[in-house]
Amino acid sequence: MRFMRVKEDGTTALHVMHALDPSQLFNLKQIVQYALIFGRPGLENTWQGIAFDFAYRMHWQTLFGFALCQALCTTSTAKPAVVRWLALVMARPGMYWEVVASYNAAFLDQLMVAQYGSHLNLMQVHVPDEMAQNFSDDDALHVLLHNWIPLDW
């Protein structure tokens, strides 16, 4: 997308907004800028899961959840169902914590160790289109658990 930008000296310059860089999925400032330009705030929200307020400010928690869902889900027709269940699991307080606690109790020799740092190893969800209706909150919890997503996220 191209738009005109006014420089400090009063002249205008053409600014080109590029698509999101897939290698920087958690660059939240890049997602904010892209969503404000292409997300059409105030109209029908095509960016499901990102909360805007009436001042067109984005809430960072929902933006981070959106980025996490984008990183975990492949592009397919089943993606909306997977994202919906991941968002529902993330919105329920303590649900993921209980699953991690039960996993640690069941597998004492292989406790859950969360990933931290600048390089994360995430495995994307591959759900066949005909199985999208069967995806549930248990499946979403397993996706988070097997990707070693930290509890404090």
Side-chain angles (χ1 to χ4, degrees):
M1 177 176 191
R2 299 176 181 189
F3 59 93
M4 299 302 286
R5 179 173 51 100
V6 179
K7 295 195 259 183
E8 291 179 7
D9 61 358
T11 61
T12 58
L14 184 64
H15 180 75
V16 179
M17 179 69 193
H18 300 285
L20 295 173
D21 184 8
S23 66
Q24 297 182 350
L25 288 173
F26 291 100
N27 185 350
L28 299 184
K29 289 183 180 180
Q30 180 185 14
I31 296 172
V32 166
Q33 183 181 18
Y34 194 82
L36 285 174
I37 292 171
F38 293 107
R40 301 182 313 230
L43 300 174
E44 179 182 334
N45 186 3
T46 58
W47 289 58
Q48 296 177 357
I50 298 179
F52 287 92
D53 63 10
F54 290 112
Y56 299 119
R57 294 176 298 195
M58 292 184 193
H59 296 275
W60 287 102
Q61 293 89 350
T62 62
L63 190 64
F64 184 79
F66 175 82
L68 184 61
C69 287
Q70 295 299 316
L72 291 175
C73 299
T74 60
T75 304
S76 68
T77 56
K79 184 176 182 174
V82 174
V83 169
R84 183 181 327 111
W85 280 109
L86 282 171
L88 287 171
V89 164
M90 289 182 215
R92 295 182 191 162
M95 187 175 195
Y96 181 52
W97 184 86
E98 291 173 3
V99 170
V100 170
S102 64
Y103 176 85
N104 286 340
F107 300 101
L108 294 173
D109 57 336
Q110 186 183 6
L111 297 176
M112 189 267 203
V113 179
Q115 296 188 64
Y116 288 103
S118 59
H119 298 287
L120 302 175
N121 185 19
L122 298 176
M123 296 176 290
Q124 290 189 323
V125 181
H126 297 283
V127 178
D129 296 341
E130 61 272 2
M131 298 297 292
Q133 298 293 337
N134 296 333
F135 198 84
S136 67
D137 56 348
D138 288 335
D139 298 318
L141 287 165
H142 286 292
V143 167
L144 296 174
L145 184 64
H146 291 298
N147 279 297
W148 307 111
I149 302 298
L151 290 168
D152 53 351
W153 282 9

